[in-house]
Amino acid sequence: MRISLIVITLSLLCIIGTVIGNGSTKQILDNIFKSYDKRIRPHSENNTAVIIRMSIVLAILIELRENQQVAAYVISHTQRWNDPHLAWNPVDYNNIREIIVPQSMIWLPKLFVYNSMDTKEMLSDDRYDVRINYNGDVKINMPQFVTCICRLSIEQFPFDTQFCAVALASPLLNTSEMDVVASPPPKDSYFAGNAEWELINVTVRDMRFLEEGEYRAEVHYIFHLQRRPIFYLTVIVAPTFLISALSILGIFSPGANDGPRNEKVSLGLGSLLAMTVLLGIVAGAMPKSNSIPLLGYYILIVILLCAVAVGISMAFLGLSRKFIEKGQMPSHIAYRLMMVQPSALSCRRRIGQGRESKDFYNDHSPVFILRVKIPDLSLIHEQLMELVETQRMFRRRLEKEQIKHLVEMEWSRIFSRFDYVFLTVFQVLNLIVLMLFLRFAWSPTPAIREHLV
Ligand SMILES: *[C@@H]1O[C@H](CO)[C@@H](O)[C@H](O)[C@H]1NC(C)=O
Ligand SMILES: *[C@@H]1O[C@H](CO)[C@@H](O)[C@H](O)[C@H]1NC(C)=O
Ligand SMILES: *[C@@H]1O[C@H](CO)[C@@H](O)[C@H](O)[C@H]1NC(C)=O
Ligand SMILES: *[C@@H]1O[C@H](CO)[C@@H](O)[C@H](O)[C@H]1NC(C)=O
């Protein structure tokens, strides 16, 4: 009996409480909005500015089209201001300290994104709510999809950091009517990049701009976008380095110096072509501006390196052909310069050069005397002489061939030493260029530019 009475009393109290609670919110709304006119700017009676505190709580980069210099984001930013007409005393209304009403019921600051190509609200106007505190503080959170112009500076590509701004401005009210104060994003706000870009930080900046002799408020949300360079390192830098290293190796691989040298030159030209294609990929990804990105410089320098290597290889080809045709032995200077010992064979040739081959078949030889005495032998002698002559010619040709071969051998030794030297020099240069390029990955992020939009 008693218990049921208590239960009834409690539930009655509950119902009354609910009715009062419901009634209180309704009462607040009734009382406030009875005299509220949303067309009137807060603080306009006192001729003071309404201060809008702005911050950003969410930013997701959707895409950054480098060719068009356009970035698209989903952002959610908060605006807080004070509207004295919306204040109440919580004691009078069952201690209710805040209420939520549709945004269409109250005055709202008007700001527009002025560097946008396209802005879309995530919700229709009548579906946004505002939170009103009993002291008249109003908070609104506005998710938006914005596509903004972003001027990229591509000098450091692919190790670049870009600063892209979403710039909001007051279209009509000047700073003595409405002013903005930027608050840094709260600790727990959510920022995300995409596959290529990392969104490392967002700065909120308030500014003024002059229009028609009066100052107006302006807010910039500046996104610090850092590129993830791994794609370009694997797709362009690594192949460029490998192609250049291999073609330098091919161009200067020591070997025989006539036939294969032709192939070396065509190998070099082929790799130049491959690198030009890679340069084309880089150019396609970049906006057409008059500054060359870092990666472009790298590929250009490597192309230059390969071109010089091909040139040197061609010069060697020409020189070695000329020397061998002339049958000219390398000079002592050439030997000393290349630190090659002249081969033993060539030394012997140098010594033997002055020696005349002894002629056994002159007039005083026994054969001549015999020929005179026995005429029949004359015929045999003629044939024998012919045979001797042929043999002598053959021997001379053989000797000539031998000398030619010797010359070729010697030049080939000299040029293969040349090849070793240039192979080392060019591979080291190639490596140095790569190191210099990669060093930029650790360069400090630049400061935010003053004029972003
Ligand atoms: C308002 O009252 C209705 C009916 O009494 C109840 O269902 C509802 O939960 C109440 N709402 C609040 C916020 O108290
Ligand atoms: C105007 O300013 C006075 C004094 O600063 C203040 O008491 C009053 O509440 C203000 N009125 C409005 C409507 O802001
Ligand atoms: C973000 O930028 C602000 C200044 O704009 C700086 O104080 C803060 O340390 C930065 N945060 C990070 C993680 O870099
Ligand atoms: C803002 O506009 C009002 C009305 O035109 C004017 O009196 C005031 O001087 C302006 N303030 C600024 C800072 O330009």
Side-chain angles (χ1 to χ4, degrees):
M1 210 44 194
R2 225 166 168 187
I3 293 172
S4 68
L5 205 78
I6 292 171
V7 168
I8 288 168
T9 323
L10 270 179
S11 46
L12 247 167
L13 272 174
C14 247
I15 287 165
I16 291 165
T18 326
V19 168
I20 290 172
N22 266 348
S24 296
T25 307
K26 196 172 167 351
Q27 237 172 311
I28 293 170
L29 290 180
D30 283 347
N31 287 351
I32 289 175
F33 287 101
K34 197 163 58 192
S35 61
Y36 188 78
D37 191 340
K38 66 176 178 181
R39 293 170 297 184
I40 298 168
R41 175 180 70 80
H43 301 282
S44 57
E45 295 91 338
N46 272 4
N47 248 336
T48 51
V50 53
I51 308 291
I52 317 287
R53 289 197 325 236
M54 297 186 63
S55 189
I56 185 160
V57 291
L58 173 120
I60 300 167
L61 178 75
I62 306 297
E63 62 170 342
L64 201 158
R65 292 197 294 268
E66 279 153 77
N67 277 332
Q68 284 109 39
Q69 311 221 31
V70 165
Y73 326 83
V74 170
I75 60 168
S76 181
H77 57 122
T78 56
Q79 300 175 352
R80 291 163 212 263
W81 67 95
N82 182 270
D83 193 339
H85 296 294
L86 295 176
W88 71 87
N89 190 354
V91 178
D92 300 343
Y93 299 96
N94 201 22
N95 232 355
I96 293 175
R97 301 175 77 82
E98 63 177 34
I99 55 171
I100 290 167
V101 299
Q103 65 152 7
S104 54
M105 289 171 72
I106 63 163
W107 178 90
L108 290 171
K110 278 98 192 160
L111 291 163
F112 71 107
V113 183
Y114 74 87
N115 68 338
S116 89
M117 306 228 312
D118 191 15
T119 307
K120 275 193 211 108
E121 304 293 328
M122 295 297 209
L123 296 169
S124 55
D125 265 0
D126 54 333
R127 288 163 87 190
Y128 281 112
D129 282 336
V130 294
R131 187 186 295 276
I132 304 172
N133 202 294
Y134 70 92
N135 58 11
D137 284 347
V138 183
K139 176 193 168 187
I140 184 166
N141 194 346
M142 295 178 27
Q144 277 179 324
F145 175 80
V146 288
T147 307
C148 289
I149 295 150
C150 175
R151 309 247 171 267
L152 302 175
S153 56
I154 54 161
E155 288 83 5
Q156 295 280 310
F157 170 81
F159 304 119
D160 50 342
T161 300
Q162 304 292 345
F163 297 106
C164 291
V166 172
L168 296 109
S170 157
L172 184 71
L173 299 186
N174 66 26
T175 47
S176 55
E177 290 152 348
M178 181 175 79
D179 209 351
V180 289
V181 173
S183 344
K187 287 266 179 300
D188 50 1
S189 42
Y190 178 73
F191 301 131
N194 63 6
E196 195 185 343
W197 295 91
E198 201 177 338
L199 185 52
I200 50 174
N201 205 350
V202 179
T203 313
V204 187
R205 185 161 75 174
D206 51 29
M207 302 165 83
R208 315 268 169 276
F209 69 97
L210 190 64
E211 194 176 295
E212 292 194 326
E214 52 183 34
Y215 284 96
R216 300 211 199 123
E218 181 177 349
V219 168
H220 288 176
Y221 299 126
I222 300 164
F223 302 96
H224 305 214
L225 298 167
Q226 192 168 53
R227 194 192 297 270
R228 303 180 213 264
I230 197 74
F231 171 77
Y232 292 97
L233 292 184
T234 50
V235 170
I236 293 178
V237 177
T240 306
F241 178 72
L242 284 181
I243 290 170
S244 59
L246 279 180
S247 63
I248 288 170
L249 191 68
I251 289 166
F252 292 120
S253 69
N257 54 30
D258 199 54
R261 223 167 244 288
N262 282 325
E263 282 161 30
K264 288 173 182 183
V265 170
S266 59
L267 174 80
L269 292 177
S271 61
L272 284 188
L273 194 68
M275 274 181 275
T276 317
V277 172
L278 289 175
L279 190 61
I281 295 174
V282 175
M286 292 290 97
K288 316 269 176 292
S289 75
N290 54 4
S291 56
I292 300 174
L294 197 62
L295 185 57
Y297 274 117
Y298 171 68
I299 297 178
L300 277 180
I301 288 172
V302 172
I303 287 178
L304 205 70
L305 215 61
C306 286
V308 171
V310 170
I312 288 173
S313 189
M314 276 170 149
F316 279 2
L317 174 66
L319 274 180
S320 71
R321 269 198 190 143
K322 203 179 106 192
F323 285 138
I324 288 164
E325 256 161 40
K326 273 193 188 163
Q328 187 185 342
M329 285 299 275
S331 65
H332 283 294
I333 301 164
Y335 279 120
R336 208 161 304 149
L337 216 66
M338 286 296 106
M339 295 185 279
V340 181
Q341 285 297 319
S343 69
L345 253 153
S346 80
C347 287
R348 211 172 342 133
R349 205 188 91 81
R350 268 167 210 282
I351 294 159
Q353 239 162 10
R355 204 186 64 193
E356 281 294 308
S357 57
K358 227 169 163 190
D359 198 352
F360 287 102
Y361 307 107
N362 55 20
D363 280 0
H364 305 291
S365 67
V367 182
F368 183 76
I369 299 157
L370 264 178
R371 194 184 60 171
V372 176
K373 283 190 181 159
I374 308 155
D376 264 359
L377 278 179
S378 168
L379 201 71
I380 299 167
H381 173 74
E382 289 290 308
Q383 280 175 350
L384 258 176
M385 283 310 278
E386 219 168 281
L387 212 72
V388 165
E389 193 57 35
T390 319
Q391 194 264 349
R392 196 180 289 167
M393 254 168 62
F394 182 72
R395 210 182 61 184
R396 222 175 282 146
R397 205 194 299 151
L398 207 71
E399 209 165 84
K400 217 175 180 179
E401 209 113 284
Q402 220 171 22
I403 291 170
K404 191 172 174 234
H405 185 68
L406 195 67
V407 168
E408 240 182 73
M409 283 272 293
E410 286 304 290
W411 278 115
S412 146
R413 284 178 63 224
I414 293 268
F415 277 118
S416 77
R417 183 56 70 103
F418 259 121
D419 277 341
Y420 273 123
V421 170
F422 278 103
L423 177 65
T424 324
V425 167
F426 273 83
Q427 292 293 27
V428 167
L429 277 180
N430 194 19
L431 209 63
I432 287 174
V433 171
L434 180 73
M435 290 301 158
L436 283 180
F437 169 71
L438 290 181
R439 203 181 62 89
F440 281 93
W442 286 276
S443 59
T445 51
I448 304 175
R449 277 170 290 136
E450 198 52 46
H451 300 287
L452 282 170
V453 282

